[in-house]
Amino acid sequence: MRGAKSAKWVAGAIVVALAATACGGGDKGSAAKGEVDPNGIYSIEVGEPEKLLHPADTMESNGSIVMSGLFSQLVDYDADGKLTMVNAESVTSPDSKLWTVKLKSGWTFHDGTKVTADSYVKAWNWAANIDNKQGNASWFADIKGFEAVHPEAEGAKPTGTAMEGLKVVDENTFTIELGSAVPYFAYKLGYEVFSPLPESFYKDPAAAGEKPVGNGPYKFKAWEHKKQIELARFDDYKGENKAKNGGVILKNYSTLETAYEDLKSGNVDVLRQIGPKDLPVYRADLGDRAVDQAYSAVQTLAIAFYADQWKTPKPVDPKVIQGLSMAIDRDTITKTVLQGTREPATGWVAKGVLGYTPNATGDITKFNPAKAKELITAGGGVPNNEISIQFNSDGGHKEWVEAVCNSITQATGVKCTGDAKPDFQADLQARKSKQVKSIYRSGWVLDYPVNSNFVSDLFRTGAGGNQGGFTNPELDAKIAAADSAASLDESVKAYQAIEKDLVNYMPSIPLWYYKVNAGYSEKVQNVKYAQDGDPIIEDVEVKK
C-alpha cells in the first residue's frame, strides 16, 4: 500500500462521507493528557523500505511513511475535498491542459539551499527518464514530451533529457503543459512522486537515496538497515504542519505480533496496524489508546496475467475469475478471522474518495457457491484446477489467506494454497520480477482522493501500479476518454462507469475495505491517522 501521507478524508457532492473518526485521531479526548516535551523523540512500527529513499521510486508503505516526513508537496486536501496549498502559492489552469504553479518564497531544503521552480522541473525530468529506472515514472506520462524521456518501445533509449511540457518561468514559477486535458491533475500533485530535489541529489543519486535531503518537516538523521530510520525535526521548515516533537524513530519489525508486544511493554510508541491474533484483545488491552477507524484503502487479490497458468494455451476467461470471486465468503471471514475490522468490498474504489460507488461489482462479490462453480465451468475451468495466493508473512495476512483458500476450495473444489514470502520486500520483488505463480495479495491506498487513482493507476497498460500485467486496449481507450473529460465532475462520472464495467475484465478480485486498527503508548498523545491510514507523524506529542 502507498499514498500521499498528507491526505485527509474527503466528502463532497459525489462521495459519501466517512464517519467523523476518519478525519484521524485515536486520541478520543478521554486518554490521559500530559505536559508536552516539544523536543521529545518517539518511535513508530514500520518495516524495512523496499528500495532507496527516492520519491519517484517509493511505491510501498514502509518507504512512503519516511517520505511523508522528509518531503512536502505542492498541494494537500482539506476535509471538504478542496485543494489546499503547501509548497505552492497557487496551482491554476484555464483549460485543464496548461497548468501554472507559483511557489511560496522562502522555502529551503534541509541542506539550506533554496526550493525553486527548477527544483521541481529538474526532479521531474530526472524521475521520468527511463534510464533512471524509477518505479513511478509513469506518473509523469500526462506531461507533454514524456515519450522523449521515457520511450514506450522495449529497449529504446531516450531522445532527450527534458519533457517539452515543463517550463521554468522564474525562480518561483513554472508551467506544466499536458499532452491532453486532465481535469484532476492538480490533485495528483499531492503525491510524493512530484517532490522537488536539491542540486546535491544529482551528484550521487544512490548516496542521496541512503541519506535523502528533502523540504519537509523532518530532516534525515540515520538509517540502520533492517533496524531503524531516524528523522529529526527541521527547525527552518516553512510549512504550516511543523513537527510538534523533536523527531521520530521508525523501528523495523518482522511481525505485527512482535510490535504489539513491544507496544504493551513500552518499547515502541505508535503502531500502524494490529495483527489478526491480537485483534480480539487490543481494545481491552489499550483502552482509550486503541484506534479503530476507516481509511481509503481496499484489499484485493490481483491476478498475475503473465503467469503460465493464465496465459496458456489461451488467456483466461473473466468468467473464471468472477467464479473465484463468488466463492469467497467475505462476510464470514471479515466477522470471524478479521474480528469485524474490515468491511466486505463491493467495488475496486475505496470509500472516502471522489466517485466512490456502492455495489459497483454487482453480484460478483456476493458469496454464491453454486454460481461460482457455474461461472468457472462456463469460462473453461481453472487451469490445473488449483491456484496459489502470494502474500508477505510480516503483514498479518496468513490467517485470512488460509480462510479465503478454504472458502474457495469448499465452494468450488479448486485447490488453493498460500504462497508465503518472508517480508514485504520479498513479496514486492517477486511481483516486479514477474515471479508470482498465480495470484497475489494486493492492497491499494489512495495517492490522491479521486476514483481515477483506483482504476487508471492500477489497470491502465503500463501504469506503475499495474504489476500483474493486465492489459486491454478497449479499457485503455475508456480511461483516456475519462481523463480528457471537460470537468472534474465529468471525469469522475466517467470513471464510475468504467469501474462498473470492470466486472467484464476482472483485473483483480476485490475483498474488503481496510480500517486502521492500531494503538499507541502512554508516552505519546495527539496521535492521529490520515486518510491513507498512516499516523500523521508531525502531529504526535511526546509527554514529559
Side-chain angles (χ1 to χ4, degrees):
M1 296 178 299
R2 58 192 179 100
K5 292 297 167 282
S6 57
K8 307 296 186 293
W9 69 281
V10 177
I14 45 180
V15 62
V16 178
L18 298 180
T21 52
C23 292
D27 194 63
K28 302 177 179 64
S30 53
K33 295 286 186 178
E35 190 177 353
V36 174
D37 176 5
N39 298 314
I41 308 295
Y42 74 101
S43 58
I44 295 179
E45 158 268 321
V46 297
E48 175 76 358
E50 179 202 5
K51 297 181 177 181
L52 295 174
L53 296 172
H54 288 160
D57 205 25
T58 298
M59 298 180 66
E60 43 77 37
S61 57
N62 294 327
S64 60
I65 191 173
V66 184
M67 293 298 179
S68 73
L70 293 175
F71 290 90
S72 285
Q73 307 309 315
L74 291 166
V75 303
D76 197 352
Y77 326 100
D78 69 13
D80 295 319
K82 295 178 181 177
L83 284 175
T84 59
M85 299 297 111
V86 184
N87 197 182
E89 183 72 42
S90 63
V91 179
T92 57
S93 175
D95 57 4
S96 297
K97 184 177 181 181
L98 181 63
W99 298 79
T100 299
V101 177
K102 293 185 180 295
L103 301 178
K104 293 175 181 175
S105 60
W107 278 56
T108 64
F109 289 105
H110 302 147
D111 61 5
T113 59
K114 285 183 179 181
V115 177
T116 67
D118 193 57
S119 305
Y120 282 94
V121 169
K122 191 171 182 178
W124 297 3
N125 280 322
W126 185 90
N129 193 304
I130 196 170
D131 288 343
N132 295 322
K133 300 177 181 177
Q134 297 295 283
N136 277 333
S138 65
W139 279 75
F140 301 98
D142 294 324
I143 299 173
K144 185 177 181 181
F146 174 74
E147 297 79 10
V149 298
H150 201 105
E152 187 175 340
E154 188 172 349
K157 289 292 184 180
T159 57
T161 58
M163 290 178 279
E164 181 184 349
L166 295 180
K167 304 289 184 185
V168 173
V169 177
D170 57 41
E171 185 173 81
N172 290 318
T173 310
F174 67 101
T175 58
I176 310 162
E177 184 180 359
L178 308 183
S180 58
V182 179
Y184 57 86
F185 184 75
Y187 277 84
K188 298 177 77 169
L189 297 177
Y191 181 41
E192 61 205 19
V193 68
F194 294 103
S195 298
L197 293 171
E199 275 300 312
S200 60
F201 173 89
Y202 306 101
K203 296 175 184 176
D204 190 341
E210 289 280 357
K211 297 180 179 180
V213 175
N215 67 328
Y218 294 93
K219 59 185 178 181
F220 178 84
K221 187 176 180 181
W223 184 0
E224 192 172 349
H225 284 276
K226 297 195 174 181
K227 185 175 181 182
Q228 65 184 34
I229 294 174
E230 295 181 61
L231 307 180
R233 183 182 62 226
F234 178 45
D235 288 328
D236 291 331
Y237 179 62
K238 296 299 189 293
E240 294 182 4
N241 58 320
K242 294 179 182 290
K244 297 177 181 177
N245 50 72
V248 55
I249 300 172
L250 299 110
K251 298 181 67 173
N252 187 282
Y253 284 91
S254 58
T255 69
L256 296 179
E257 291 76 16
T258 302
Y260 184 66
E261 291 304 313
D262 266 10
L263 177 70
K264 291 193 295 181
S265 59
N267 292 322
V268 69
D269 297 309
V270 178
L271 297 191
R272 298 181 298 167
Q273 203 67 37
I274 303 290
K277 182 178 78 70
D278 297 307
L279 287 175
V281 298
Y282 88 102
R283 295 178 185 88
D285 287 348
L286 302 179
D288 289 325
R289 294 180 288 109
V291 177
D292 183 357
Q293 70 174 63
Y295 72 104
S296 296
V298 62
Q299 183 96 268
T300 66
L301 294 180
I303 314 302
F305 287 96
Y306 54 77
D308 289 342
Q309 176 177 27
W310 304 118
K311 68 179 183 180
T312 58
K314 63 180 181 178
V316 63
D317 189 317
K319 289 188 180 69
V320 173
I321 304 172
Q322 290 174 347
L324 291 173
S325 177
M326 296 190 78
I328 300 169
D329 189 351
R330 294 165 179 78
D331 285 337
T332 299
I333 294 170
T334 54
K335 287 174 183 175
T336 57
V337 177
L338 295 170
Q339 295 290 314
T341 61
R342 303 287 186 273
E343 179 184 348
T346 61
W348 284 269
V349 176
K351 288 187 170 186
V353 302
L354 293 175
Y356 162 73
T357 304
N359 200 32
T361 53
D363 290 337
I364 68 101
T365 49
K366 295 177 182 177
F367 181 53
N368 187 330
K371 186 65 174 177
K373 285 190 279 191
E374 179 185 321
L375 284 166
I376 290 172
T377 300
V382 175
N384 303 322
N385 203 42
E386 63 178 324
I387 59 172
S388 61
I389 301 174
Q390 178 179 298
F391 67 96
N392 50 304
S393 298
D394 61 347
H397 303 298
K398 179 176 182 289
E399 291 84 354
W400 70 254
V401 168
E402 289 178 348
V404 166
C405 273
N406 288 337
S407 183
I408 289 172
T409 300
Q410 290 175 15
T412 66
V414 174
K415 183 181 179 182
C416 179
T417 56
D419 181 10
K421 301 301 177 186
D423 53 35
F424 200 24
Q425 282 185 305
D427 178 40
L428 289 171
Q429 286 304 312
R431 300 187 206 176
K432 291 178 181 179
S433 59
K434 292 183 165 40
Q435 297 299 311
V436 179
K437 302 179 184 71
S438 179
I439 294 172
Y440 62 92
R441 177 208 71 83
S442 178
W444 189 260
V445 62
L446 87 168
D447 300 312
Y448 56 95
V450 184
N451 57 354
S452 56
N453 184 222
F454 289 82
V455 180
S456 176
D457 296 313
L458 283 175
F459 307 132
R460 173 173 40 86
T461 301
N466 188 349
Q467 296 178 327
F470 174 79
T471 181
N472 186 283
E474 182 182 59
L475 185 63
D476 287 342
K478 292 177 181 178
I479 288 172
D483 283 348
S484 60
S487 67
L488 175 62
D489 187 62
E490 290 180 50
S491 179
V492 167
K493 288 177 180 176
Y495 270 108
Q496 287 176 315
I498 292 172
E499 184 191 11
K500 288 186 176 181
D501 200 30
L502 287 178
V503 295
N504 298 313
Y505 303 103
M506 293 304 293
S508 66
I509 299 172
L511 290 178
W512 38 75
Y513 305 118
Y514 275 91
K515 284 186 178 181
V516 176
N517 298 101
Y520 52 93
S521 75
E522 295 177 345
K523 175 184 171 182
V524 294
Q525 61 189 26
N526 200 42
V527 181
K528 301 174 183 177
Y529 290 76
Q531 191 186 358
D532 64 1
D534 269 352
I536 303 172
I537 62 176
E538 62 269 23
D539 278 356
V540 176
E541 297 174 341
V542 181
K543 298 178 185 178
K544 284 188 176 179

